[in-house]
Amino acid sequence: GCDLLMSNPQKPNTFPGTHRYCAEIWLHKQAQKEGWSKAAKLQGRKTKEGLIGLLQEGNTTVLVEVNCETDFVSRNLKFQQLVQQVALGTMMHCQSLKDQLSTYSKGFLNSSELSGLPAGPDREGSLKDQLALAIGKLGENMTLKRAAWVKVPSGFYVGSYVHGAMQSPSLHNLVLGKYGALVICETSEQKTNLEDIGRRLGQHVVGMAPLSVGSLDDEPGGEAETKMLSQPYLLDPSITLGQYVQPQGVSVVDFVRFECGEGEEAAETE
């Protein structure tokens, strides 16, 4: 095996490239070990910065949050690649769930559930191993915070918006930013402007931070201020969001909103 080769390089090498392969495995193990010890040392340090990642593939959309200590590290490609792996890991998990979709399905993963997901086809171990490697390389505490996923059958559409969006160069359909929203809509016919409507609805959710969808009959004001459909529409406050969507032939059924670091402040004020 590898150990033998490493300890006795004089042995005739029957498989060309075995040395190099073993060296790579050894280096990876070292990096993993260093990552784990660095992670243990930095544990407990506040992780308020980071990124939200949005990934859409076919009828599945995922939103993930990965945190770090400084905005500086969140701009680092290695950190962004970690967000990418978390988004891909969540996407694979979601696609492996065998559900008969007659309506939309939505799910959430917390930090420990995310950590245990396999890292993906070309990576060893779990997402937690990838996290340790990134901590080892970048020297900051990091957290795999949470993920949400939505799967829809035909007749449904997921609108999405990421605020302060950056495209990920190596994974062209991953979008990164500080805020993200998914809005699940039901629509009777396939419209050409669905993507545009979906983006506007996502902008509204990010900007107005509703707590529920509410209904078209809700009177504006008072307690309806947290209900999406009776809120003043972000891009035209002279009408409610409900008045914006109704003539579009689209009905809003659900949404997910992620704000980077939002759980941290709440935990501190308690």
Side-chain angles (χ1 to χ4, degrees), residues 100-105 151-153 156 186 253:
Q100 298 307 306
L101 284 182
S102 55
T103 179
Y104 77 96
S105 64
K151 275 171 119 166
V152 292
F156 286 81
E186 208 168 347
V253 286

Side-chain angles (χ1 to χ4, degrees), residues 60-64 90 93-94 97 99 104-110 113-114 146-151 182 184 254-256 258:
T60 306
T61 310
V62 304
L63 209 51
V64 301
T90 305
H93 165 73
C94 187
L97 302 171
D99 36 19
Y104 77 96
S105 64
K106 174 175 84 162
F108 293 92
L109 296 166
N110 64 24
E113 291 165 329
L114 262 184
R146 54 182 172 165
W149 50 264
V150 172
K151 275 171 119 166
L182 308 179
I184 304 153
D254 205 347
F255 64 87
V256 179
F258 275 13

Side-chain angles (χ1 to χ4, degrees), residues 163-214:
H163 187 69
M166 309 176 270
Q167 294 294 121
S168 161
S170 49
L171 197 84
H172 61 103
N173 56 346
L174 176 76
V175 189
L176 299 165
K178 296 290 182 187
Y179 299 79
L182 308 179
V183 183
I184 304 153
C185 305
E186 208 168 347
T187 172
S188 42
E189 69 253 53
Q190 275 307 304
K191 296 185 154 27
T192 47
N193 62 340
L194 266 181
E195 196 174 324
D196 188 44
I197 295 170
R199 193 183 67 250
R200 286 160 182 245
L201 294 175
Q203 282 175 309
H204 178 93
V205 167
V206 164
M208 299 295 285
L211 299 177
S212 63
V213 174

